[in-house]
Amino acid sequence: MHIFLRVLHFKLFIPALLLTLFFSQSAFCLQTEKETQFTEGIGHLLHGNFKEKALATKQVADSGDSRAKSILQAMLEGKLYRVKKDDTLVYAEIKSAQAKISSALTGEQLGFVKKRKLKKITINNKLRSSLKASLARIDLASPSSTTRLQAVNKLIKNLTPRDSLLLAELLQKETDNKVRKALATATAIAKLKTDDTTQILAAISDLSGNLNPAVRNELMTLLGKSKDDAVRAKAESALASIASSISFYGFIEKLFFGLSLGSVLVLAAIGLAITFGVIGVINMAHGELIMLGAYTTYVIQQLLPNSIGIALILSIPAAFIVSGVTGIIIERSVIRFLYGRPLETLLATFGISLILQQTVRSIFSPLNRSVATPSWMSGSIQINPILSLTTNRITILIFSMLVFAGLYLLLRKSSIGLQVRAVSQNRAMARAMGVKAARVDALTFGLGSGIAGIAGVALAQLTNVGPNLGQAYIIDSFMVVVFGGVGNLWGTLIGGLTLGVANKFIEPWAGAVLAKILILVFIILFIQKRPQGLFPQKGRAAE
Amino acid sequence: MKTKILAAMLGCALSIGSVLGGQAMAAETIKVGVLHSLSGTMAISETTLKDTMLMLIEEQNKKGGLLGKQLEAVVIDPASDWPLFAEKARELIEKKHVASVFGCWTSVSRKSVLPVFEELNSLLFYPVQYEGEESSKNVFYTGAAPNQQAIPAVDYLMNDMNVKRWVLAGTDYVYPRTTNKILAAYLKSKGVADADIMINYTPFGHSDWQSIVSDIKKFGTEGKKTAVVSTINGDANVPFYKELGNQGISSDTIPVVAFSVGEEELSGIDTKPLVGHLAAWNYFMSVDSEANDAFIESWQKFIKSDKRVTNDPMEAHYIGFNMWIKAVEKAGTTDSDAVQKAIIGVTVPNLSGGYSAMMPNHHITKPVLIGEIQEDGQFEIVWQTAGKVAGDAWSDYLEGSKDLISDWRSPLSCGNFNVKTGSCSGNK
């Protein structure tokens, strides 16, 4: 109420001032008007509905008041509250039932209050995007060129015709090249929204070859509403050139998607390639060893809640040890009694997989656990406006290749690798040469299981960490190993990547469900023709 | 005098005892069946509902039970195994003699038990939003029908957010497929062109969303405001929203409105990439009402954790259970036929501060709320229907279903009465 009175007061006040002090105090008047706008805006923020709030944020933003930015920022982040009792606008940091508040207008610290005494200044999507645009407009004047660039890029999605003047003005002053480029695009897009045909035509030529999605968006809209033939023809040709680049970059994008899916498959399957391929054990609990790795990531992250990135790196060796030791226990306690009896091994390991699942369910509850992603793994690398590669996928792609290389070197260059290969090729002969076959079996199984654990660390970043995580990957893993050729690491690598890429190229026209089915059918047919897989093991063991 | 009455009572009790033998104990309580999976894939969602039922029954008993008798919960675990649902339902009704059953989550489990309830003439209260196109004399649908969730959500996007292009993304099973069929028909009736609707299905637990999200991104930058209507089921949502975040799609460029993401699902995931995306339900934990505050308080006390959340299907059980109590009191018996007659028109308070009524088609009236996901895993309500919406068993937008109505009052008493031909095609 008192704000209303104040507004009224100002409204009466200003004409009086204007009359008496017009010449000498005009600067002061302008000041007061801005201030009125600000106070009025704040008043609507406190009590308005979403529509009024939208107007209010505009008023606050346009007022040029130094407090505007932090108020709008807090509103966007949901930290702006109203004290129910006396309508003070405050910033609040909520900690359980208590909130630490400070006045948004004066900056005064107001101490702690109960959360229930506060009411949040809520926003919806419409308001959120207009807030972002308002903040971006304020940020355009920022001294930092990166902030300016971000501001322009945000603004591009939300331009109005009247922005073209403002942007053109900024373009004159701008010195940074990147920002200039973005500003030029933004100016041209803003011009597209005007009614002036010559301006629109000029803007289309400025924008030709520009791959920014906003450009395509605007051109499509223009094509939809414009009646002018010259404009339509020009827009169509501009769109056609954009479309051809899109299809080119689309191909690269698909290839990347395929390789990244493939790298996940390789990661999940490579441990199996060792246990299944080298010592011939059909390990149905392989998926659950992956799951254990994922849970290890979760536990370590719980222990180090403030350094997610370090926790993730630490989880790699930890998961290797947890899954590896579990693998060795499984091998020593169950599998070693079943060598040479594949059917019994299959059933026994299937049982173990159920036991492991239920154990995890009892310890961690059946609900999924959330594993946070470190900031260096979220977001994407922008190659150009239409091609961006997500960082988490790139990281996993590289990680998967590193794991492969490490494992390959281990098997080729180390003495344990030599023993593993010897046992897998000819057990009797290896034993005759003094290799302790039983020990090598346990170690090999442990190695394969440990690698599964490492795969779990990577998968925890992509999918749900829950008791059923492993089941989703066990079939795919077997598919990759069988397709690639049992007992050959190269086969697993090539097989996994091939299946990933094939899947991603089939998916757009067949849909995700059918793509999976087609891949499965293809593998069945392939195995009929070539039962030993892509890269069969050579030598006497392969009979 | 006193001794005479006592003697008479004793005699009475003895005679009943001798007739019923071992059943004398059972007669002292009214049994309520709880048929929710406590193991297997659906345990994530259904365990909470079992606990909700136990709490409601405990509270009712504190208030003095029902018809002067105590209620007794009979919990049985169908282990997320659809055929087992039918077996366990039969066991509950035939062996345990329950008066009514509260249970099921997935549509396929409901379809599996339906014939059992019809054959043995027992009652099922089903608390989850579903695809509609069904009406049974023995089932009460306290979750939302498509017109109580999907259609209002689309209306909101269309009118308040000016959405012109639509991606209908769902998991590949009966609920998303039917809902999307209804939505596509509805959108076309509103003048949306075929080219502006993209329909996409993915397998259960799908985790590689790269190309689908990239397609959505392309579809969304063709000059018209685009939104995703998601019927993606449970687990697959996390990688989906993560991928959206990673590829730079935020709620203000392409908003996603989901029908299967609630407080319970959000409690297990990192909500940062989801902020601002929408969900449509009939209840949110953040609803500001006294009834809701009391419900949350007693729930957290019952489950002994102040971190546990409440969600929409829990409210549905709350409403359904209270409706059943009121109907039994009205009828004076737990007999199925009497309760069926009595329950139509019964009105009980819901948790959003109003009242819900049981309609003649065995669906209930509910408000529809749209909420935006917040960073703390709660929803901020941004829109709600002016009044309450009555559930419609048969969609008005599908061929073959738009002429059907369901009315279980006599003399019509039919689940799929065709108003054009004036006949009831089975399903009496």
Side-chain angles (χ1 to χ4, degrees):
Chain A
M1 194 64 200
H2 66 282
I3 283 155
F4 247 18
L5 285 177
R6 257 168 86 183
V7 171
L8 207 66
H9 173 76
F10 273 123
K11 279 193 176 147
L12 293 173
F13 189 50
I14 295 164
L17 267 176
L18 281 174
L19 282 175
T20 50
L21 304 169
F22 184 70
F23 297 103
S24 57
Q25 298 278 354
S26 61
F28 176 67
C29 281
L30 206 66
Q31 192 70 36
T32 340
E33 210 172 315
K34 289 275 183 195
E35 203 170 301
T36 320
Q37 203 183 3
F38 180 74
T39 339
E40 212 173 58
I42 296 291
H44 286 313
L45 272 193
L46 282 170
H47 291 291
N49 55 26
F50 284 127
K51 219 176 231 166
E52 287 164 354
K53 277 190 215 166
L55 279 176
T57 49
K58 285 221 173 68
Q59 280 180 311
V60 172
D62 293 347
S63 73
D65 195 287
S66 57
R67 292 164 289 184
K69 191 188 167 187
S70 57
I71 289 179
L72 296 182
Q73 190 70 42
M75 191 167 162
L76 185 65
E77 286 164 10
K79 286 179 187 152
L80 196 64
Y81 287 77
R82 159 170 82 83
V83 179
K84 281 180 189 163
K85 201 168 61 190
D86 58 1
D87 281 351
T88 336
L89 194 66
V90 293
Y91 301 133
E93 274 175 49
I94 305 250
K95 275 181 193 131
S96 64
Q98 290 284 323
K100 188 182 172 196
I101 58 170
S102 60
S103 166
L105 297 178
T106 61
E108 190 189 343
Q109 292 291 331
L110 298 172
F112 287 87
V113 291
K114 278 219 179 91
K115 194 174 124 192
R116 281 174 182 269
K117 306 252 179 212
L118 299 175
K119 180 98 182 123
K120 194 170 176 179
I121 308 289
T122 55
I123 58 176
N124 63 4
N125 270 320
K126 226 180 193 172
L127 208 46
R128 188 173 286 120
S129 57
S130 93
L131 269 176
K132 280 187 184 162
S134 295
L135 281 168
R137 284 197 185 90
I138 295 175
D139 273 346
L140 282 178
S142 155
S144 140
S145 65
T146 28
T147 320
R148 286 202 302 272
L149 185 61
Q150 278 171 355
V152 179
N153 281 334
K154 274 184 204 155
L155 207 54
I156 280 182
K157 295 175 196 158
N158 238 311
L159 284 169
T160 55
R162 72 190 171 99
D163 283 327
S164 69
L165 285 177
L166 168 78
L167 290 168
E169 220 170 86
L170 284 169
L171 188 58
Q172 299 256 304
K173 285 188 284 181
E174 186 56 60
T175 49
D176 189 281
N177 249 339
K178 273 188 184 163
V179 187
R180 279 188 71 90
K181 227 171 142 190
L183 272 172
T185 310
T187 320
I189 293 179
K191 275 186 193 156
L192 281 186
K193 297 198 176 191
T194 57
D195 296 327
D196 187 350
T197 316
T198 43
Q199 278 216 31
I200 293 177
L201 284 173
I204 297 178
S205 353
D206 286 349
L207 289 172
S208 74
N210 194 321
L211 294 177
N212 196 314
V215 172
R216 181 155 168 262
N217 218 341
E218 283 310 321
L219 287 174
M220 295 279 248
T221 320
L222 192 68
L223 206 57
K225 70 175 186 202
S226 174
K227 301 271 184 306
D228 192 302
D229 281 336
V231 170
R232 291 179 63 89
K234 204 152 182 195
E236 259 167 31
S237 77
L239 276 172
S241 84
I242 292 175
S244 73
S245 345
I246 283 182
S247 70
F248 171 70
Y249 288 113
F251 177 79
I252 295 183
E253 194 184 32
K254 248 182 253 163
L255 197 64
F256 170 72
F257 288 165
L259 287 177
S260 100
L261 174 65
S263 71
V264 171
L265 291 177
V266 169
L267 258 184
I270 200 161
L272 198 71
I274 295 174
T275 50
F276 180 44
V278 177
I279 49 179
V281 171
I282 300 178
N283 181 15
M284 294 300 282
H286 180 73
E288 277 57 45
L289 294 166
I290 296 179
M291 173 196 74
L292 285 183
Y295 271 95
T296 312
T297 318
Y298 165 73
V299 170
I300 294 196
Q301 211 167 74
Q302 289 311 101
L303 296 175
L304 296 168
N306 294 322
S307 38
I308 298 168
I310 296 173
L312 189 65
I313 291 167
L314 281 181
S315 342
I316 297 172
F320 182 83
I321 293 168
V322 170
S323 295
V325 169
T326 316
I328 291 179
I329 295 172
I330 295 174
E331 201 273 343
R332 284 289 92 183
S333 59
V334 181
I335 294 174
R336 73 178 165 128
F337 302 109
L338 299 171
Y339 278 124
R341 288 149 69 188
L343 209 60
E344 280 96 326
T345 325
L346 193 143
L347 286 176
T349 49
F350 183 63
I352 293 170
S353 84
L354 294 180
I355 293 172
L356 286 175
Q357 272 180 42
Q358 198 56 43
T359 314
V360 167
R361 224 174 251 138
S362 312
I363 299 175
F364 294 97
S365 99
L367 293 175
N368 291 334
R369 300 285 113 182
S370 85
V371 171
T373 309
S375 56
W376 46 267
M377 261 185 89
S378 41
S380 51
I381 297 173
Q382 201 84 26
I383 309 280
N384 66 32
I386 48 169
L387 180 66
S388 57
L389 308 179
T390 45
T391 20
N392 63 344
R393 296 285 178 172
I394 295 177
T395 320
I396 286 171
L397 187 60
I398 295 171
F399 180 68
S400 157
M401 294 306 122
L402 287 179
V403 170
F404 175 80
L407 202 59
Y408 187 77
L409 287 180
L410 186 77
L411 285 184
R412 286 280 142 188
K413 305 280 176 203
S414 72
S415 73
I416 176 79
L418 186 67
Q419 291 180 11
V420 168
R421 280 183 293 139
V423 173
S424 81
Q425 278 167 18
N426 195 324
R427 175 176 285 265
M429 186 62 84
R431 288 185 64 179
M433 303 295 283
V435 176
K436 286 182 186 144
R439 183 171 154 269
V440 170
D441 282 340
L443 283 179
T444 315
F445 199 84
L447 179 67
S449 308
I451 299 289
I454 291 183
V457 178
L459 287 178
Q461 291 299 326
L462 293 180
T463 181
N464 292 291
V465 179
N468 301 329
L469 167 70
Q471 288 180 327
Y473 287 94
I474 183 77
I475 308 248
D476 287 345
S477 305
F478 270 110
M479 228 159 64
V480 169
V481 173
V482 170
F483 176 62
V486 174
N488 190 324
L489 283 187
W490 282 110
T492 308
L493 180 73
I494 305 294
L497 293 181
T498 313
L499 290 183
V501 172
N503 199 329
K504 285 296 156 188
F505 274 87
I506 299 174
E507 210 178 280
W509 60 266
V513 184
L514 198 58
K516 266 201 137 153
I517 297 172
L518 286 177
I519 291 283
L520 216 80
V521 169
F522 163 72
I523 288 187
I524 293 172
L525 293 178
F526 181 84
I527 295 298
Q528 291 295 319
K529 236 14 232 160
R530 210 181 146 88
Q532 65 277 57
L534 274 181
F535 297 92
Q537 207 171 25
K538 293 189 187 86
R540 260 183 250 171
E543 78 279 16
Chain B
M1 190 65 185
K2 248 185 186 170
T3 45
K4 254 189 186 169
I5 293 174
L6 252 175
M9 276 172 73
L10 208 75
C12 203
L14 272 174
S15 64
I16 291 175
S18 59
V19 173
L20 294 176
Q23 300 242 324
M25 283 298 286
E28 286 166 14
T29 59
I30 295 175
K31 289 188 172 173
V32 180
V34 180
L35 187 66
H36 282 302
S37 303
L38 311 178
S39 53
T41 50
M42 290 313 294
I44 295 183
S45 313
E46 292 192 64
T47 314
T48 316
L49 289 185
K50 182 248 336 176
D51 290 328
T52 310
M53 282 314 297
L54 293 184
M55 174 183 86
L56 290 170
I57 289 168
E58 188 187 289
E59 281 183 354
Q60 187 63 32
N61 280 337
K62 273 186 207 151
K63 280 188 242 166
L66 182 61
L67 303 179
K69 293 175 193 161
Q70 289 282 295
L71 292 173
E72 182 190 342
V74 184
V75 178
I76 226 162
D77 175 19
S80 314
D81 178 357
W82 321 135
L84 197 62
F85 266 86
E87 271 173 49
K88 293 291 175 189
R90 188 174 289 277
E91 185 183 327
L92 276 175
I93 303 164
E94 279 186 338
K95 296 226 176 83
K96 309 276 184 187
H97 303 282
V98 295
S100 68
V101 177
F102 292 78
C104 297
W105 181 289
T106 58
S107 287
V108 47
S109 68
R110 188 190 67 250
K111 299 260 187 217
S112 150
V113 299
L114 194 71
V116 179
F117 279 90
E118 284 178 350
E119 181 199 327
L120 303 174
N121 193 22
S122 185
L123 305 177
L124 171 71
F125 287 82
Y126 176 69
V128 184
Q129 91 277 16
Y130 84 118
E131 67 280 1
E133 307 303 298
E134 184 182 297
S135 182
S136 164
K137 179 166 167 267
N138 298 81
V139 182
F140 298 95
Y141 306 84
T142 52
N147 75 317
Q148 289 175 303
Q149 190 184 26
I151 301 238
V154 166
D155 278 339
Y156 168 76
L157 290 173
M158 208 183 303
N159 302 330
D160 285 46
M161 298 182 73
N162 297 319
V163 171
K164 299 273 192 283
R165 302 197 100 192
W166 305 84
V167 181
L168 309 180
T171 303
D172 202 5
Y173 73 108
V174 57
Y175 166 67
R177 281 205 178 253
T178 316
T179 308
N180 285 346
K181 216 191 277 168
I182 293 172
L183 284 180
Y186 179 70
L187 288 172
K188 276 174 202 159
S189 80
K190 293 277 174 186
V192 177
D194 269 336
D196 286 336
I197 302 176
M198 168 176 154
I199 298 184
N200 184 291
Y201 292 105
T202 40
F204 269 99
H206 191 64
S207 64
D208 195 281
W209 289 92
Q210 300 179 90
S211 35
I212 291 165
V213 168
S214 154
D215 283 350
I216 291 175
K217 203 166 146 187
K218 259 177 231 135
F219 189 77
T221 49
E222 287 177 6
K224 289 175 184 167
K225 176 82 179 167
T226 305
V228 180
V229 177
S230 149
T231 36
I232 297 165
N233 176 282
D235 274 10
N237 276 301
V238 181
F240 173 60
Y241 283 108
K242 260 193 191 165
E243 191 65 39
L244 283 178
N246 281 335
Q247 293 202 20
I249 298 179
S250 62
S251 57
D252 47 355
T253 49
I254 302 178
V256 179
V257 57
F259 303 144
S260 313
V261 176
E263 288 86 348
E264 184 91 23
E265 286 75 18
L266 290 181
S267 69
I269 60 179
D270 185 14
T271 45
K272 249 177 254 125
L274 282 72
V275 171
H277 287 302
L278 304 148
W281 289 106
N282 308 107
Y283 164 83
F284 286 115
M285 190 180 177
S286 60
V287 161
D288 200 9
S289 82
E290 271 173 38
N292 185 35
D293 286 348
F295 181 75
I296 293 171
E297 199 172 309
S298 55
W299 165 247
Q300 293 183 338
K301 211 164 121 195
F302 178 82
I303 208 80
K304 297 191 185 70
S305 158
D306 58 0
K307 293 221 172 65
R308 288 295 292 270
V309 292
T310 56
N311 64 12
D312 183 88
M314 286 171 71
E315 192 220 14
H317 258 341
Y318 171 86
I319 296 172
F321 180 74
N322 287 336
M323 281 181 166
W324 177 71
I325 293 281
K326 225 170 162 181
V328 170
E329 275 166 356
K330 197 165 138 193
T333 162
T334 57
D335 175 68
S336 295
D337 286 325
V339 174
Q340 269 166 29
K341 265 204 196 80
I343 202 167
I344 291 173
V346 157
T347 305
V348 298
N350 55 32
L351 293 177
S352 45
Y355 288 84
S356 285
M358 178 62 75
M359 305 306 285
N361 61 359
H362 286 189
H363 289 63
I364 67 172
T365 59
K366 297 173 140 200
V368 185
L369 314 173
I370 310 269
E372 279 182 13
I373 299 171
Q374 305 290 303
E375 210 151 314
D376 57 359
Q378 289 290 321
F379 290 88
E380 186 73 50
I381 298 163
V382 291
W383 182 85
Q384 68 183 81
T385 44
K388 282 185 296 276
V389 181
D392 188 8
W394 302 99
S395 173
D396 299 340
Y397 302 98
L398 284 186
E399 258 339 294
S401 137
K402 60 185 175 196
D403 299 327
L404 298 180
I405 59 160
S406 154
D407 191 334
W408 290 106
R409 289 172 301 189
S410 56
L412 190 58
S413 190
C414 172
N416 51 2
F417 183 79
N418 192 319
V419 285
K420 276 228 176 104
T421 59
S423 65
C424 181
S425 43
N427 207 348
K428 276 249 181 195

